[in-house]
Amino acid sequence: MGRRARGRRLQQQQQQRAGGAEDGAEGGGKRNEAGWEGGYPEIVKENKLFEHYYQELKIVPEGEWDQFMGALREPLPATLRITGYKSHAKEILHCLKNKYFKELEDLEVDGQKVEVPQPLSWYPEELAWHTNLSRKILRKSPQLEKFHQFLVSETESGNISRQEAVSMIPPLLLNAQPHHKILDMCAAPGSKTAQLIEMLHADMNVPFPEGFVIANDVDNKRCYLLVHQAKRLSSPCIMVVNHDASSIPRLQIDVNGRKEVLFYDRILCDVPCSGDGTMRKNIDVWKKWTTLNSLQLHGLQLRIATRGAEQLVDGGRMVYSTCSLNPIEDEAVIAALLEKSEGALELADASSELPGLKWMPGITRWKVMTKDGQWFAEWDEVPHSRHTQIRPTMFPPKDPEKLQAMHLERCLRILPHHQNTGGFFVAVLVKKCSMPWNKRPPKLQGDSAEPRQPVQVNPADPTTGKAADPSKLESKPVTGIGDTDIIERTENLENNGNRKDGVCGPPPSKKMKLFGFKEDPFVFIPEDDPLFPPIQKFYALDPSFPKMNLLTRTTEGKKRQLYMVSKELRNVLLNNSERMKVINTGIKVWCRNNSGEEFDCAFRLAQEGIYTLYPFINSRIITVTLEDVKILLTQENPFFRKLSSETYSQAKDLAKGSVVLKYEPDPTKPETLQCPIVLCGWRGKASIRTFVPKNERLHYLRMMGLEVSTEKKKEGTVLMEESAASSGPPEDEVSAEEGVERAASPDATPGSDPAGAAPRR
């Protein structure tokens, strides 16, 4: 009987759902639309404990509490950031402002006037915008269909990022330069990492900046999301690794034949947090919020921040951030870190670095509350029974002079009602000298005996103040053990001949293989490899081409795809392959053709890496006009006669095979496209075709003023996402490579490039 009753109830529910769908198609999609609309209407946006806690802590200025709570209950405005490198970003901005935004002026949807998107006042060069248009309105309104298609397509190709406004702040405050070595400790899903990569490539004329970004995340699956984000930028200077940030290994690099510890110039420490600043988009927080989350996370946050500070170079800058308003996760972590650093770290005054941004200074007094609502003002008040849950580092320093010297007011807390954003906390730290337990020369000498003595006595020197025991255990022995490991690994690498062949495999630990995907090795092409001279000859590569930076992902069989990294990342890979779990690095520059040997070269160019490769190519370049680009991107296999006479005269004398198609903007015609375009193509018997991913193709056409329906699919077009070898599990690799080969062969259908995501320069 019970089973029948359940069956009847299930039938009724299904009928109700079907009825609801008929009444309005959007009704069933409320849960999915939470990110834009503000979430689930069934959740009551009330939490008395939350209000009691923050009123007691006085983080909101007097008289503003009602505005603060009112803002938290409102949907979060949609924000978008124009990503990519300078000239392309400017073209997208020009297209947005002069076409799509103008079409929104004086537009009414359901009797309500549409609010035209506005730039974020504090974001440089008008590259970030916010609007109150919800996803629901965008989807259902025919007047907004073009704008919606534009947003979807450009987001897919990575030219626009739907990134929350406050999450754009930490990379800006890092002030990263192209020569900086950068560590992003908790990087997934990767929107901040993308900002950092863009900063590295500030000068588009430099294909290999001296700096690099190592993006880390503890979650193996989220690492692949990170890879997907980073791949859109097609940079040879990004490496994705998979480690616990609180014990991320200390790396070494080779400097003039000597092993040295790698210290980073910039570190982004955007730690896991309770997320109560995200209530406007994560509606679940309203009913789930207690102080327990912050009490449990405080220790981990402090360990991660400590590990970051250890790996920062003297004079370097670290940004600590959370999407929490809670001082236990914010000022308490910073105060504990400053106290244990004994003057090695100081808070920088970043108040003038983002003019236009409204923020509240960090607080210097706070109390700790248990999930039951019990308050403690000092560590001495905490009973022994609660010592495992509440730690001394959660309280402000007792000494008023010490507290004043910390300048906690230099921290920035962003409140939702001030600029219609989420809640956020950020602090900028500068390292003045080595951490007290690292007081030794930063360089590792070739002889391993010297550094070993201080390494073993280091953990005996405890941190001062009332730091939590776990943080003591985490920070000190990890540093000591890490350095010993480096020296032992160095000896092993020097004594092990087979490690000098440029093969960088995954870490040997069997435990590693129990989690996530087993990664393929990174194998650098030997200098005398017979595979390279035909490529060099066919494309007339410049003598300065760094062929030592070419790698593959296989040790056996035919090399199907060639990737490229910067020389600095090559150095990191070769000297740390035993210690790091590398998920992905390098951009694809060449793919093997099935019948490539017939065309003097077995490898065709890959669109993913063409902007990096192009400066070194001296032959097989065809300069095309804007009209030619339109024809090449809209037609499957245009004959020479359809192209301009200048293009035909260049193409007719070229042998069959892979070519570069280059459009140079004409500065005397400002109304035309003003960013250079480089496309990979194939010179056939009497025609030229392009190998460009669908989204990138649509992007270029849109920039030229052509609207192409995303519904349109040409028969036979091969559209494949890059997989496995660069961003997915190895079992997908074979099929991905086969697909690449089929598309790369002269008989393949043109118009799409399965070899990777769209680059943005």
Side-chain angles (χ1 to χ4, degrees):
M1 191 69 183
R3 193 183 301 161
R4 286 178 187 167
R6 279 197 301 273
R8 279 197 299 272
R9 197 176 302 121
L10 189 63
Q11 270 185 332
Q12 287 168 0
Q13 286 170 353
Q14 287 170 346
Q15 285 165 3
Q16 284 168 3
R17 283 195 204 108
E22 287 167 14
D23 293 338
E26 291 81 19
K30 285 173 182 171
R31 179 170 285 268
N32 294 329
E33 290 156 14
W36 288 62
E37 284 196 277
Y40 323 132
E42 68 270 17
I43 292 180
V44 179
K45 295 177 182 178
E46 295 284 345
N47 189 310
K48 295 299 179 191
L49 195 64
F50 173 87
E51 294 191 43
H52 170 61
Y53 182 70
Y54 283 116
Q55 279 179 317
E56 187 74 23
L57 291 179
K58 295 182 171 57
I59 64 159
V60 178
E62 211 168 319
E64 294 184 21
W65 182 258
D66 289 341
Q67 296 102 292
F68 170 72
M69 290 304 297
L72 282 177
R73 292 187 177 104
E74 286 296 312
L76 188 68
T79 47
L80 58 91
R81 185 174 65 82
I82 298 166
T83 55
Y85 306 125
K86 282 190 176 174
S87 63
H88 278 213
K90 283 177 182 172
E91 284 296 321
I92 296 167
L93 178 59
H94 181 266
C95 186
L96 267 174
K97 287 169 74 173
N98 295 304
K99 183 179 180 186
Y100 294 100
F101 290 169
K102 277 194 174 176
E103 289 175 4
L104 298 180
E105 290 175 8
D106 305 319
L107 190 65
E108 284 193 8
V109 177
D110 295 343
Q112 284 191 334
K113 192 177 178 187
V114 170
E115 184 183 310
V116 177
Q118 297 296 318
L120 295 176
S121 60
W122 45 267
Y123 201 94
E125 300 181 40
E126 289 193 336
L127 291 177
W129 295 71
H130 67 105
T131 173
N132 282 337
L133 284 171
S134 72
R135 177 177 281 178
K136 183 177 178 180
I137 291 172
L138 277 170
R139 277 180 170 172
K140 76 172 187 176
S141 164
Q143 304 101 304
L144 296 172
E145 187 182 356
K146 275 187 185 177
F147 183 49
H148 182 239
Q149 271 192 7
F150 171 83
L151 287 178
V152 170
S153 180
E154 293 297 314
T155 302
E156 283 175 5
S157 59
N159 297 304
I160 280 176
S161 173
R162 294 184 189 181
Q163 182 180 355
E164 196 179 337
V166 287
S167 93
M168 303 174 193
I169 296 169
L172 292 176
L173 291 178
L174 261 187
N175 191 25
Q177 303 298 319
H179 62 278
H180 282 154
K181 301 175 187 71
I182 306 167
L183 173 65
D184 190 349
M185 298 189 78
C186 310
S191 52
K192 297 182 189 72
T193 310
Q195 277 179 275
L196 295 172
I197 297 169
E198 289 162 30
M199 291 173 187
L200 284 184
H201 292 276
D203 184 353
M204 284 178 55
N205 298 316
V206 180
F208 293 102
E210 286 179 34
F212 55 77
V213 177
I214 293 180
N216 173 70
D217 203 85
V218 68
D219 187 318
N220 184 271
K221 287 180 183 175
R222 280 166 64 86
C223 280
Y224 292 100
L225 184 62
L226 189 53
V227 169
H228 177 69
Q229 286 273 41
K231 277 286 172 191
R232 293 168 170 176
L233 283 159
S234 299
S235 170
C237 306
I238 169 76
M239 179 187 289
V240 177
V241 298
N242 180 204
H243 289 280
D244 176 356
S246 64
S247 56
I248 191 167
R250 177 166 286 192
L251 306 182
Q252 63 175 350
I253 49 174
D254 187 294
V255 180
N256 301 321
R258 195 172 62 241
K259 304 294 181 193
E260 294 188 4
V261 172
L262 170 61
F263 289 96
Y264 299 94
D265 302 294
R266 297 288 187 267
I267 293 179
L268 179 55
C269 191
D270 185 52
V271 295
C273 65
S274 62
D276 59 17
T278 68
M279 283 177 146
R280 298 180 71 176
K281 65 172 185 177
N282 297 326
I283 312 302
D284 276 353
V285 178
W286 281 99
K287 63 177 182 181
K288 291 180 179 176
W289 188 91
T290 73
T291 55
L292 187 61
N293 285 346
S294 52
L295 297 177
Q296 290 173 337
L297 284 165
H298 170 88
L300 174 66
Q301 291 162 339
L302 181 55
R303 291 196 299 276
I304 292 174
T306 303
R307 191 62 179 149
E310 287 173 348
Q311 302 214 12
L312 192 63
V313 75
D314 293 357
R317 176 178 275 219
M318 180 171 91
V319 169
Y320 174 90
S321 61
T322 75
C323 47
S324 168
L325 299 170
N326 199 327
I328 306 303
E329 302 176 67
D330 299 341
E331 285 92 345
V333 173
I334 296 299
L337 184 61
L338 290 171
E339 189 167 8
K340 65 157 65 176
S341 78
E342 296 178 12
L345 296 172
E346 74 172 25
L347 270 170
D349 183 358
S351 57
S352 61
E353 292 188 24
L354 292 178
L357 179 68
K358 292 180 183 174
W359 49 273
M360 294 299 297
I363 59 176
T364 55
R365 286 279 154 222
W366 63 89
K367 297 184 287 184
V368 177
M369 186 179 86
T370 66
K371 68 172 182 176
D372 309 319
Q374 187 178 359
W375 289 93
F376 299 105
E378 295 181 356
W379 167 246
D380 298 339
E381 298 175 6
V382 181
H384 280 282
S385 61
R386 292 200 181 265
H387 278 196
T388 53
Q389 185 187 72
I390 298 174
R391 303 300 303 148
T393 50
M394 295 176 183
F395 296 88
K398 275 187 178 178
D399 186 342
E401 285 184 15
K402 191 183 279 186
L403 183 63
Q404 191 177 356
M406 287 181 176
H407 293 293
L408 290 178
E409 72 280 355
R410 290 179 178 173
C411 300
L412 313 180
R413 180 177 274 103
I414 289 91
L415 298 178
H417 63 292
H418 282 165
Q419 286 180 305
N420 199 11
T421 63
F424 208 71
F425 174 87
V426 61
V428 181
L429 294 149
V430 175
K431 191 172 182 180
K432 311 303 285 183
C433 60
S434 296
M435 299 296 272
W437 55 91
N438 283 344
K439 297 280 187 186
R440 60 173 181 271
K443 295 181 181 178
L444 283 176
Q445 305 303 318
D447 181 15
S448 62
E450 267 185 294
R452 276 191 185 176
Q453 292 169 356
V455 163
Q456 289 173 1
V457 297
N458 250 353
D461 176 22
T463 52
T464 59
K466 295 183 176 178
D469 293 341
S471 64
K472 289 185 190 175
L473 292 169
E474 191 69 33
S475 61
K476 292 186 188 120
V478 164
T479 307
I481 292 167
D483 290 343
T484 312
D485 255 7
I486 287 174
I487 299 151
E488 289 170 358
R489 297 293 187 198
T490 304
E491 291 172 350
N492 291 339
L493 288 174
E494 287 169 355
N495 297 332
N496 191 347
N498 64 8
R499 276 290 164 199
K500 292 185 179 179
D501 61 0
V503 178
C504 309
S509 166
K510 287 183 181 176
K511 277 188 181 177
M512 282 285 195
K513 293 174 188 175
L514 296 176
F515 306 101
F517 302 115
K518 177 181 174 292
E519 291 302 317
D520 293 321
F522 297 83
V523 187
F524 284 94
I525 306 291
E527 204 164 351
D528 56 353
D529 196 311
L531 169 144
F532 186 70
I535 296 175
Q536 190 166 26
K537 183 182 176 187
F538 190 72
Y539 297 103
L541 295 179
D542 195 86
S544 64
F545 178 74
K547 63 180 179 182
M548 294 292 286
N549 300 349
L550 282 174
L551 59 87
T552 64
R553 299 296 304 271
T554 178
T555 51
E556 297 170 0
K558 273 189 174 183
K559 298 175 178 70
R560 297 182 181 278
Q561 324 214 18
L562 300 183
Y563 301 86
M564 193 149 205
V565 293
S566 65
K567 74 170 193 278
E568 288 77 15
L569 275 188
R570 179 182 190 272
N571 192 343
V572 173
L573 262 177
L574 286 175
N575 289 290
N576 300 282
S577 64
E578 295 285 313
R579 318 193 67 245
M580 281 192 313
K581 187 181 179 189
V582 180
I583 299 295
N584 185 271
T585 190
I587 50 167
K588 191 180 297 177
V589 286
W590 280 292
C591 305
R592 183 181 285 276
N593 295 324
N594 253 356
S595 50
E597 285 79 1
E598 297 173 24
F599 306 101
D600 302 323
C601 181
F603 288 86
R604 74 166 181 90
L605 297 162
Q607 182 69 26
E608 180 186 323
I610 193 61
Y611 284 93
T612 299
L613 207 53
Y614 173 74
F616 300 100
I617 297 174
N618 291 314
S619 111
R620 305 197 62 77
I621 298 170
I622 300 174
T623 306
V624 293
T625 66
L626 202 57
E627 281 305 311
D628 290 334
V629 175
K630 289 178 184 176
I631 291 167
L632 287 162
L633 292 176
T634 54
Q635 297 186 24
E636 285 286 334
N637 201 12
F639 290 109
F640 291 153
R641 66 173 179 270
K642 290 189 177 181
L643 304 172
S644 66
S645 55
E646 295 91 343
T647 301
Y648 172 67
S649 62
Q650 296 171 73
K652 66 182 174 64
D653 297 327
L654 283 178
K656 285 194 283 186
S658 192
V659 292
V660 178
L661 302 161
K662 174 73 188 285
Y663 162 73
E664 280 289 357
D666 184 351
T668 63
K669 297 179 180 176
E671 73 283 357
T672 61
L673 189 67
Q674 288 300 301
C675 65
I677 296 177
V678 184
L679 307 173
C680 292
W682 185 273
R683 195 269 194 216
K685 196 171 183 179
S687 62
I688 293 180
R689 67 186 65 164
T690 53
F691 286 109
V692 181
K694 177 185 175 184
N695 284 326
E696 189 175 356
R697 196 165 74 248
L698 293 174
H699 161 69
Y700 288 134
L701 290 171
R702 208 175 276 117
M703 293 304 102
M704 291 184 279
L706 291 181
E707 276 299 328
V708 182
S709 171
T710 51
E711 301 293 317
K712 187 178 177 182
K713 284 192 179 179
K714 298 177 180 179
E715 284 183 24
T717 300
V718 181
L719 289 174
M720 288 176 60
E721 291 298 323
E722 165 131 14
S723 74
S726 54
S727 61
E731 50 262 39
D732 294 355
E733 186 165 348
V734 176
S735 58
E737 286 176 346
E738 282 172 358
V740 168
E741 279 190 321
R742 280 196 296 273
S745 70
D747 303 321
T749 309
S752 66
D753 184 3
R760 299 175 291 160
R761 280 183 194 258

